[in-house]
Amino acid sequence: MSQAETVPPSGTRAGTGTGGGAGAGTPGPRPRTPLSHPFRTLGLLRSEVATTFRRHRTYALLAVLAAVPVLIGIAVRIETGGDGSGGGAGGGPGPAFLTQVTNNGVFLVFATLAATLPVFLPMAVGVVAGDAVAGEASAGTLRYLLVAPAGRTRLLLVKYASVLTFCLVATFVVAASALAVGALLFPVGEVTTISGTRIGFGEGLARAGLTAAVVAASMVGFAALGLFVSTLTNSGIGAMAATVGLLITAQILDSIPQLSGIHPYLFPHYWMSFADVLREPVLWDDLVKNFQLQGVYAAVFGSAAWARFTTKDITA
């Protein structure tokens, strides 16, 4: 065998080196993580959620929501003296669940969610959702997020996931505050359902947790609507105001009897169906309709937000 047959051609690998040169055995460049790698997405989501909950505005919104159960609990305590004279299953006057708080502090969870759901909770969600994209644009940080690189579709999904995280946290802050205040100011024990049956304290707590989860899920469609509005403007304040304005408009339309034909298509129409969780057995008809309606709103306005954001000229 000749020498030419034993020496590898120039520029080809022999073993771990190349052509027997000084770079023999030197490892090649480390492969870069693909931009679509799930760990990159999780890291971006973690950063976005942390940014959302580090803002002073977020602290203020959560503080206001946590204060609502305190105010309601103190008002009921002062009004009734905490002796149950104003409540009971037969109840006296007052909003649903509120007349039963004096007999069982767990009902303060349901009463507070019923009080915050029409206005306070969705307004807080509207502020966070409306500011998700428009706030970045007005601050001049949106284009820097896109050259990170994050990718427009992935960034929009992360923004939406961050808003949904706020929905969940905000709802459970209300529920946790109400449970703590209810246990402090009123007796706790077996829970009387709307159907008149009694369930144990542990099951009552589970129903309260399920109620909070249902309320959080009720914000899914509205959050997508707010995100879509946020992609239409570079003004964070304008997007927040428009989102809250749409919320108020939808609730006004839902309260007009002459417009009953469109009520089932308005995103707040089935919000109060969470009360069916406290029936025995749980009535799922309106709850399922609520979930389906929220899913439709999320699909429609999420797609609209994606179409707008992916074609938008980012200048800020």
Side-chain angles (χ1 to χ4, degrees):
M1 180 177 294
S2 66
Q3 184 179 3
E5 293 174 332
T6 61
V7 178
S10 176
T12 62
R13 292 185 181 272
T16 58
T18 56
T26 303
R30 294 170 58 187
R32 297 181 61 186
T33 304
L35 297 181
S36 60
H37 195 281
F39 288 124
R40 285 183 176 270
T41 303
L42 290 176
L44 184 62
L45 175 60
R46 184 170 58 250
S47 175
E48 181 64 30
V49 171
T51 300
T52 299
F53 285 93
R54 278 200 302 262
R55 290 171 176 156
H56 295 298
R57 178 186 62 219
T58 303
Y59 291 143
L61 291 173
L62 293 178
V64 170
L65 291 174
V68 174
V70 178
L71 296 177
I72 294 178
I74 292 176
V76 174
R77 177 76 182 189
I78 293 175
E79 180 69 19
T80 64
D83 58 2
S85 59
F97 304 121
L98 195 57
T99 56
Q100 301 190 44
V101 171
T102 53
N103 288 336
N104 196 329
V106 177
F107 274 97
L108 188 60
V109 176
F110 307 106
T112 304
L113 288 174
T116 58
L117 184 54
V119 180
F120 295 105
L121 186 58
M123 284 186 66
V125 173
V127 168
V128 175
D131 190 59
V133 176
E136 299 282 5
S138 62
T141 56
L142 183 57
R143 58 180 175 179
Y144 296 107
L145 285 176
L146 294 176
V147 300
R152 297 197 181 196
T153 299
R154 183 170 56 172
L155 179 61
L156 191 67
L157 288 174
V158 165
K159 289 286 186 181
Y160 185 51
S162 178
V163 175
L164 294 184
T165 302
F166 175 81
C167 295
L168 189 64
V169 171
T171 304
F172 276 91
V173 163
V174 174
S177 176
L179 184 60
V181 173
L184 182 64
L185 298 181
F186 307 102
V188 293
E190 291 186 337
V191 176
T192 302
T193 66
I194 297 177
S195 304
T197 60
R198 296 181 69 84
I199 57 178
F201 177 67
E203 185 176 352
L205 289 180
R207 297 285 183 100
L210 179 59
T211 299
V214 169
V215 171
S218 299
M219 297 290 105
V220 169
F222 179 56
L225 175 59
L227 189 66
F228 169 63
V229 173
S230 188
T231 63
L232 299 178
T233 177
N234 291 334
S235 171
I237 296 178
M240 289 185 283
T243 303
V244 174
L246 289 173
L247 166 68
I248 296 173
T249 301
Q251 290 179 324
I252 291 175
L253 294 177
D254 195 47
S255 65
I256 300 177
Q258 290 79 2
L259 300 178
S260 59
I262 67 171
H263 288 175
Y265 306 102
L266 299 174
F267 60 86
H269 182 66
Y270 294 105
W271 277 357
M272 301 305 293
S273 63
F274 76 85
D276 291 340
V277 173
L278 205 60
R279 299 184 187 274
E280 187 63 35
V282 176
L283 297 182
W284 291 99
D285 291 346
D286 283 349
L287 290 171
V288 170
K289 291 179 181 178
N290 182 32
F291 298 151
Q292 291 174 339
L293 183 63
Q294 300 306 318
V296 170
Y297 268 81
V300 171
F301 287 100
S303 299
W306 175 83
R308 168 61 178 169
F309 189 59
T310 54
T311 58
K312 183 178 181 179
D313 184 17
I314 305 297
T315 58

